[in-house]
């Protein structure tokens, strides 16, 4: 899952970046309002971690502009030193999913991100039963009858993102963007996504039939549940 960190404090941004990278997230960083808006215009994100007090403007304006983009589903968590109730209310009313005042524990940030993901996709726990395969969101593992599959990070991310969007056809470009990040830096003619899907199916098929992981020709991919 890809995350945009909008934070002008370099040390804090680096700390969040390193922590989330170790947890398997793909991260980008913007220190100013203008650069954040430029990135948001080009790419969509699973999460935007948004500081309100930016050098060139208010983070609330980013929230407002995000709401004006049709079809955007980026989850936004406000990270700010502002502790006034009216600032929290303003952020939530303008589309933020959660509010975390500084200073905060990185473990709490991660827990809130997991909670938002579960709520957004109507998932009750951190473990998802996928035709007998158990996908553990928190520990980023997949197992079948207590045997853990040896998946790469990208294979897990592909399976995880398609599972979150079960029974929906996910276009190739959307899957690529959420797993690899900036789609402008990726060769659209590359066969790398097909290779990853082929390897993922092969690993799943060792344990059970994986026909539920479907390729929809000329469009994308779908997990049928």
């Amino acid at each position: 899952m890809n995350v945009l960190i909008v934070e002008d404090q370099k040390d804090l941004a680096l700390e969040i970046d390193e922590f989330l990278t170790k947890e398997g997230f793909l991260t980008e960083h913007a220190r100013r309002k203008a650069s954040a808006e430029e990135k948001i215009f080009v790419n969509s994100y699973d999460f935007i971690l948004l500081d309100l007090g930016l050098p060139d403007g208010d983070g609330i304006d980013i929230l407002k502009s995000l709401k004006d983009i049709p079809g955007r589903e980026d989850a936004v968590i406000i990270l700010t030193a502002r502790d006034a109730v009216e600032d929290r209310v303003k952020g939530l009313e303008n589309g933020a999913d959660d509010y975390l005042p500084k200073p905060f524990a990185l473990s709490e940030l991660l827990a809130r991100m997991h909670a938002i993901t579960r709520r957004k996709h109507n998932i009750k726990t951190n473990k998802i039963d996928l035709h007998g395969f158990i996908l553990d969101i928190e520990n980023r593992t997949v197992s079948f009858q207590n045997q853990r599959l040896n998946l790469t990070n990208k294979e897990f991310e592909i399976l995880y993102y398609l599972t979150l969007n079960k029974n929906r056809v996910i276009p190739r470009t959307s899957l690529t963007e959420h797993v690899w990040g900036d789609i402008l830096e990726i060769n659209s003619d590359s066969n790398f996504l097909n290779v990853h899907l082929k390897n993922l199916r092969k690993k799943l098929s060792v344990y059970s039939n994986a026909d539920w992981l479907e390729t929809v020709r000329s469009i994308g991919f779908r997990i049928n549940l």
Side-chain angles (χ1 to χ4, degrees), residues 112-201:
R112 289 176 183 247
M113 292 171 72
H114 284 319
I116 289 171
T117 299
R118 290 195 306 269
R119 184 169 66 247
K120 189 174 179 180
H121 296 278
N122 196 28
I123 298 171
K124 303 302 181 184
T125 70
N126 278 323
K127 293 185 179 180
I128 305 172
D129 189 332
L130 189 62
H131 294 281
F133 292 90
I134 304 300
L135 194 152
D136 188 325
I137 299 172
E138 187 173 0
N139 295 309
R140 295 178 55 80
T141 62
V142 178
S143 60
F144 186 83
Q145 295 180 354
N146 296 321
Q147 296 184 63
R148 182 179 295 184
L149 280 67
N150 185 26
L151 301 187
T152 66
N153 285 334
K154 295 304 183 188
E155 289 165 357
F156 177 88
E157 283 299 322
I158 290 170
L159 189 63
Y160 181 28
Y161 188 68
L162 290 175
T163 300
L164 290 178
N165 295 279
K166 60 185 182 298
N167 300 320
R168 292 173 53 193
V169 178
I170 301 301
R172 295 177 61 91
T173 53
S174 180
L175 181 59
T176 299
E177 185 177 11
H178 283 270
V179 175
W180 277 271
D182 191 345
I183 59 175
L184 295 183
E185 297 179 0
I186 297 172
N187 182 355
S188 61
D189 295 327
S190 174
N191 197 43
F192 69 95
L193 184 55
N194 288 340
V195 172
H196 279 82
L197 263 295
K198 180 180 179 180
N199 291 336
L200 176 58
R201 285 193 182 96

Side-chain angles (χ1 to χ4, degrees), residues 41-82:
F41 179 78
V42 175
N43 303 303
S44 62
Y45 298 91
D46 295 290
F47 284 94
I48 298 174
L49 307 182
L50 180 61
D51 183 23
L52 295 185
L54 299 170
D56 57 339
D58 195 326
I60 292 293
D61 293 332
I62 296 177
L63 269 175
K64 292 178 179 178
S65 61
L66 186 63
K67 287 175 63 177
D68 293 334
I69 304 175
R72 291 300 291 256
E73 298 181 352
D74 318 53
V76 179
I77 300 179
I78 292 176
L79 308 176
T80 182
R82 300 181 186 177

Side-chain angles (χ1 to χ4, degrees), residues 81-97:
R82 300 181 186 177
D83 56 2
V85 173
E86 41 280 25
D87 285 322
R88 303 184 200 182
V89 172
K90 189 176 181 181
L92 295 171
E93 286 183 342
N94 279 281
D97 295 89

